[in-house]
Amino acid sequence: MLRRLAVDAGFPGDPERLLLAIEPEAAALYCHLRMPDAASGPHRRARLPLHLDGFRSVVVDCGGGTVDITAYESHGDAGPSIALREIGLATGGWLGSEYVNQAFLDKTLGDRFGPAALKRIERDHPGELLELSGQWERAKATVELDREADAVAHVLDPVRIEVPVSVWDLLDEQVRARLTHDAAGLPRQIVLPPEEVEGLLDERVDGILDKVAEQLATIGRTSGAGAEPETLVLVGGFARSPWLRERMRARFGERHRILVPPDPALAVLEGAVHFAYRPDVFVSRQAKYTYGFETAKPFEEGVDSTMRMYRDDEGDLLCVGRFGVAVRRMDSVRVNDAHPFRIVPVREDQDELDVRLYRSAKADPRYVDEDGSEEIGRLTVDLSGTVGRPLRERPIMLLFYFGAAELRVEVFDPATGETSRVSVDFDRV
């Protein structure tokens, strides 16, 4: 879908000219090539040494909508070239800063204005509501923190939001009086005490920290311990938040080095530009799902339903709708390696073959229509050149390429020498 939308917007459809970059990978590449002054503390500066063999990094990309977390290990000797393989398992969720803004609207404004007044403002004064949200956006990114003697940091000062005149006039007299009292006699002010600011930010920060901890645990299970603790790289617009940085430091800083680019919001954009001429940097990736295709396999009495039973033209009893596993979840797959599979049609007069591609969160799914399985692509192969031949003389080779930013499948017909190809957008893979 992503590639199709880009082509519809006027970008070239040639896969050699239109590359799809994975956001955390782009951020990792940016941090190596363009970040000689990554901040790892108040006075410490360090380059992200992706060129060192065995160096591990976890990229935490905190955007407006989602947070994406991916881990990499470097391969190669010291030098200008870098090669990265994905470790762990890409994870994340709807934990971006826009949800903190939504919590401000729903809770802070909803509690102070009242639900009915807030709905009226949303309907009649959307511009003023956007102004209120903008004030909160700026405030949350610049809050000052105070670290107490026990090294626990807190928001230092209350946040003040100025209410536009048109909104203030809509509020009931009792609401205006209460807000003025809470603001020490100043009208048209909303005052958020430090603990309320922390609570709004933690609406999503708590989830981000849990996802980082989950990623670190996954790396330990699947890849073992590294020579050094993983470096955590915080990027994306939400990475500007002092509170998010402090919470990361408090939870992970004792063991892990934490780096933040000077402008974390630019990391993905600039990294994607560099990826365009250095896509070979990423040599392998982890399969996020189990991938495969619909096929027919020998029928197993007592296991397969008779509703799935089918007898082919050579008399073999088959079970249709089986999930032919090509690569399993958590398998490490190299970018340019092909995974070949041989399939045959089930009828001698069959003049085309629909290859349906599936993914599943299960490690070993049995059927393509069971819970957790999802169709992600389809390719039709022309078999007209071999119609009438015995089935054993009509094999088709499927070549799966799982390591790139897109799942690519090639279908080769040995009888005709023709190859067909389909790509599946990464956002569905």
Side-chain angles (χ1 to χ4, degrees):
M1 180 183 297
L2 197 61
R3 177 175 292 278
R4 187 167 61 250
L5 290 174
V7 172
D8 290 344
F11 287 89
D14 183 354
E16 299 300 323
R17 298 178 62 200
L18 177 61
L19 302 180
L20 299 184
I22 304 168
E23 290 191 9
E25 290 185 355
L29 187 56
Y30 162 87
C31 291
H32 173 73
L33 297 174
R34 297 281 293 166
M35 203 173 86
D37 293 321
S40 58
H43 304 292
R44 296 168 55 199
R45 317 294 284 181
R47 183 183 180 91
L48 191 64
L50 297 182
H51 60 290
L52 297 181
D53 189 47
F55 172 76
R56 290 181 174 183
S57 59
V58 177
V59 179
V60 186
D61 179 14
C62 302
T66 62
V67 170
D68 301 301
I69 304 172
T70 313
Y72 306 96
E73 184 175 72
S74 303
H75 281 256
D77 300 324
S81 298
I82 59 175
L84 303 178
R85 72 178 184 94
E86 186 180 12
I87 57 177
L89 185 64
T91 186
W94 301 100
L95 299 167
S97 62
E98 287 300 322
Y99 294 94
V100 178
N101 294 350
Q102 191 61 49
F104 167 77
L105 295 176
D106 295 340
K107 295 186 175 182
T108 299
L109 299 188
D111 290 347
R112 286 166 170 80
F113 294 167
L118 183 58
K119 285 185 178 180
R120 191 163 66 250
I121 295 167
E122 290 175 344
R123 183 187 67 236
D124 300 334
H125 297 276
E128 286 80 355
L129 192 63
L130 185 62
E131 179 185 336
L132 287 167
S133 183
Q135 290 184 58
W136 164 248
E137 174 70 28
R138 292 186 292 274
K140 76 180 184 185
T142 57
V143 292
E144 293 187 18
L145 306 181
D146 178 40
R147 186 171 290 110
E148 299 177 354
D150 59 1
V152 176
H154 294 284
V155 173
L156 181 60
D157 298 314
V159 167
R160 291 181 175 269
I161 305 294
E162 184 175 343
V163 182
V165 173
S166 57
V167 172
W168 185 258
D169 291 342
L170 284 176
L171 302 177
D172 294 340
E173 182 62 36
Q174 289 182 336
V175 173
R176 293 200 297 264
R178 185 179 69 250
L179 293 176
T180 301
H181 176 271
D182 292 343
L186 294 175
R188 295 179 49 218
Q189 297 281 319
I190 296 175
V191 179
L192 286 71
E195 59 270 17
E196 183 177 2
V197 175
E198 294 176 10
L200 289 172
L201 291 168
D202 283 341
E203 287 274 330
R204 287 299 181 266
V205 170
D206 285 343
I208 294 172
L209 300 183
D210 289 343
K211 285 293 184 181
V212 173
E214 177 186 299
Q215 179 70 275
L216 293 171
T218 299
I219 294 170
R221 289 195 308 270
T222 60
S223 302
E228 297 288 342
E230 295 81 7
T231 293
L232 308 183
V233 184
L234 193 60
V235 299
F238 199 12
R240 294 191 181 108
S241 167
W243 183 250
L244 173 58
R245 297 186 190 193
E246 176 58 31
R247 292 290 312 277
M248 286 282 293
R249 183 205 63 80
R251 183 157 176 180
F252 304 109
E254 185 174 341
R255 174 171 171 77
H256 300 272
R257 183 174 60 158
I258 301 172
L259 304 181
V260 185
D263 190 347
L266 290 178
V268 171
L269 175 61
E270 289 203 25
V273 174
H274 292 294
F275 175 79
Y277 66 84
R278 289 295 307 277
D280 58 332
V281 162
F282 301 98
V283 296
S284 70
R285 296 180 173 92
Q286 296 283 112
K288 189 175 182 178
Y289 297 93
T290 295
Y291 300 104
F293 52 94
E294 183 177 9
T295 187
K297 295 186 178 183
F299 185 85
E300 296 184 38
E301 194 74 37
V303 177
D304 298 318
S305 168
T306 55
M307 298 293 292
R308 299 179 181 274
M309 187 184 298
Y310 181 86
R311 193 176 298 277
D312 68 17
D313 284 359
E314 293 187 345
D316 293 327
L317 196 60
L318 303 175
C319 173
V320 298
R322 289 291 303 274
F323 196 119
V325 174
V327 64
R328 284 182 170 80
R329 183 175 184 269
M330 294 298 294
D331 282 353
S332 179
V333 288
R334 294 185 64 84
V335 169
N336 295 318
D337 284 358
H339 298 253
F341 294 89
R342 180 179 179 272
I343 60 174
V344 295
V346 295
R347 304 190 318 273
E348 292 181 356
D349 63 349
Q350 191 171 343
D351 60 1
E352 65 179 23
L353 178 65
D354 284 330
V355 181
R356 300 189 180 191
L357 311 176
Y358 289 83
R359 73 177 185 183
S360 173
K362 300 178 181 178
D364 196 18
R366 186 171 182 86
Y367 306 109
V368 297
D369 57 356
E370 66 185 47
D371 289 344
S373 295
E374 177 187 4
E375 183 176 340
I376 58 173
R378 185 180 301 185
L379 181 66
T380 299
V381 184
D382 182 11
L383 300 177
S384 58
T386 60
V387 169
R389 295 185 186 181
L391 297 183
R392 62 181 177 275
E393 296 181 11
R394 308 186 71 198
I396 296 294
M397 294 298 297
L398 297 181
L399 301 175
F400 288 83
Y401 297 85
F402 293 98
E406 298 172 277
L407 166 61
R408 190 174 88 244
V409 183
E410 293 181 354
V411 181
F412 175 67
D413 185 348
T416 64
E418 295 183 354
T419 299
S420 303
R421 172 175 163 176
V422 64
S423 293
V424 181
D425 291 340
F426 185 81
D427 60 346
R428 299 185 64 195
V429 176

